[in-house]
Structures are given as structure tokens and as C-alpha cells.
Amino acid sequence: MMATLKAVRRNDLTKGSTKSIRDAGMVPSVVYGHNNDPITVAVNTIELLKTVRDEGRNTIISLDVEDGETVDVMLHDYQIEPLKDQLIHADFYVVDMSQEMDVNVSVHLLGEAIGSKEGGVLQQPLYEVLVRAKPREIPEEITVDVSELNVGDSIMISDLKDGKNYEILEDENTTIVTVTAPDSEEDLEETEEDEDAEPELVGQKGDSGEEEEETE
């Protein structure tokens, strides 16, 4: 995963200048890490969002600063203005491409569990997995096939295998996904009976409002 973004140096850090930068469609940013002195820059907001959307949060970004300096970075943190849902600040961390680093990688479930088709409930307690890898070898996602899971089955970290170029750091006893049993047969029968009787009950309730309360 590799992308390129252009950045301009930001020397004026006053509120007025910062506002002007945002009004121009740029996001104020800081670049730091790997024994480098922090530098303040600004990058195009739309290009940054597109890069993260298309390439993933852990993509390596070659940041092309206007004075000719190029640094390899990752998006470390960002701030969103909640009322306007606007990106207002970003932090980039300089990475050493030759050194391993620890990052969270999203878990993607593949397939439909057998147990789900039988009425079981698929639950995913873990949405990210901590892995160790060199920056260029960080996986975009960890794919977990759930299609063979029956009711009562689970997939744990111990069921996963380290990738060719990365190591999974999570506790091996951590559950990633499980299929829990449905309600008891008696409860299911009662539910089915209620559903069969629903048209008649609706007619009897009229405008009493009780149906709305049951729905809630």
C-alpha cells in the first residue's frame, strides 16, 4: 500500500491563517516521529480522505513537501469537527521503511455462517487485530471465513495463521467471531404463534396504541 500526497509548509500558525487554510480546502497537519523535528504542513482535504478511503488507514503515504523534501508517513491521528463533520487536523507519523511496527488491521468476515442460516446469531467481538510488520508489508485487512461456522462455533486468534510477512500479536484466546444459539424452541414457537395471530390482533387493537408500544 503506497500513495503520494503533496504538502505545503505552514509557517503562520495563527488562527486566522489556519481558518484560511481550511477555507481553501486544505487540512492543517503536523509531521513528526522517527527522530525528526516536527514540521507543520497542510494537505488537500479531499485527496487525503480519498487516499484513506481507497488505500486504507494503514497505507504508507509519500508526502511530497513543497521544498523538495519527501517523507514516508502514515496517518497517525485526525480530528473531525462534529457539527460540520469536517476534517480539521491530521497528524502524520514518519516511518522507517526498514523497521517493523505494530498497527491495528481491520478484520473482514467472509461468507455466511451455516449457523446463521439456522437461526443462530453471528457476533463479532473483535473488529481489529494488532499485527507487527514492516510498513510496506502491513496487510490491508485480515480476512476470516465464517461460512463453516455452526451454532456454538467460534473463531479465535489461535485459529489464524501469521501472514508471510506479518505477525499477529493478539492473545491467542481472544474470540474474533462466534455464532450463538437462537432462543429456545419453545420461545421460537411462541414467536411464530404471535406472528400468525398478528393480523387478528391488529384488528382488535384499533387505535389503542398498544401495538406501537410492542414495536418499540
Side-chain angles (χ1 to χ4, degrees), residues 115-133:
S116 296
K117 299 176 183 178
E118 298 174 349
V121 180
L122 184 74
Q123 297 182 340
Q124 184 181 357
L126 190 67
Y127 286 87
E128 290 184 329
V129 172
L130 186 65
V131 306
R132 177 172 294 162

Side-chain angles (χ1 to χ4, degrees), residues 75-171:
L75 178 63
H76 178 69
D77 198 7
Y78 60 91
Q79 297 176 20
I80 299 288
E81 202 287 315
L83 294 180
K84 297 181 180 180
D85 193 27
Q86 179 184 11
L87 181 64
I88 60 173
H89 186 81
D91 288 346
F92 294 101
Y93 186 80
V94 180
V95 296
D96 183 344
M97 303 301 288
S98 66
Q99 297 295 318
E100 292 182 328
M101 59 189 303
D102 299 347
V103 295
N104 286 311
V105 177
S106 298
V107 174
H108 174 68
L109 302 186
L110 181 65
E112 181 180 2
I114 296 173
S116 296
K117 299 176 183 178
E118 298 174 349
V121 180
L122 184 74
Q123 297 182 340
Q124 184 181 357
L126 190 67
Y127 286 87
E128 290 184 329
V129 172
L130 186 65
V131 306
R132 177 172 294 162
K134 292 182 178 180
R136 292 185 186 275
E137 297 168 348
I138 297 171
E140 184 175 348
E141 62 185 15
I142 302 292
T143 301
V144 177
D145 188 352
V146 301
S147 57
E148 298 299 319
L149 290 184
N150 291 291
V151 173
D153 289 345
S154 299
I155 295 177
M156 307 178 72
I157 290 295
S158 58
D159 297 314
L160 301 183
K161 296 180 179 179
D162 291 338
K164 180 179 179 182
N165 298 314
Y166 66 85
E167 175 187 1
I168 297 175
L169 302 180
E170 301 284 353
D171 187 317

